[in-house]
Amino acid sequence: MNQPKQPNFLETLARDVAQVLKSLGGSAHETTVIECVAALRRQRGEPVAPDLGRLIIEAFQRYSEWFTRPFGEGSKRWALIAEPG
């Protein structure tokens, strides 16, 4: 019997980003997203690493099928374009 695949750390962060963006109406500034994901992790009793912001940006880029920068590359505004499956 196969065990369900556990999401990796970056996927978990990407799902947190999606949850935060959804709660903020679908888009928000990168800084706001990072702060909200950190707060969400603290609320769940999870550690918040000093490099969490960098890891969140990496997750945003890795799961680009879920997210976009509505004002183009270089923009600090992030938007949700697809719900994680």
Side-chain angles (χ1 to χ4, degrees), residues 19-57:
Q19 180 180 344
V20 164
L21 285 171
K22 188 173 181 182
S23 74
L24 295 171
S27 70
H29 190 276
E30 176 182 290
T31 304
T32 302
V33 174
I34 291 169
E35 290 170 357
C36 289
V37 169
L40 182 65
R41 292 180 62 80
R42 281 189 204 97
Q43 202 173 40
R44 293 189 305 229
E46 297 172 11
V48 176
D51 64 344
L52 183 66
R54 180 189 60 77
L55 292 168
I56 290 170
I57 291 169

Side-chain angles (χ1 to χ4, degrees), residues 15 18-19 22 65-66 80-85:
R15 289 179 182 281
Q19 180 180 344
K22 188 173 181 182
E65 67 273 13
W66 298 346
L80 182 64
I81 55 175
E83 294 276 340

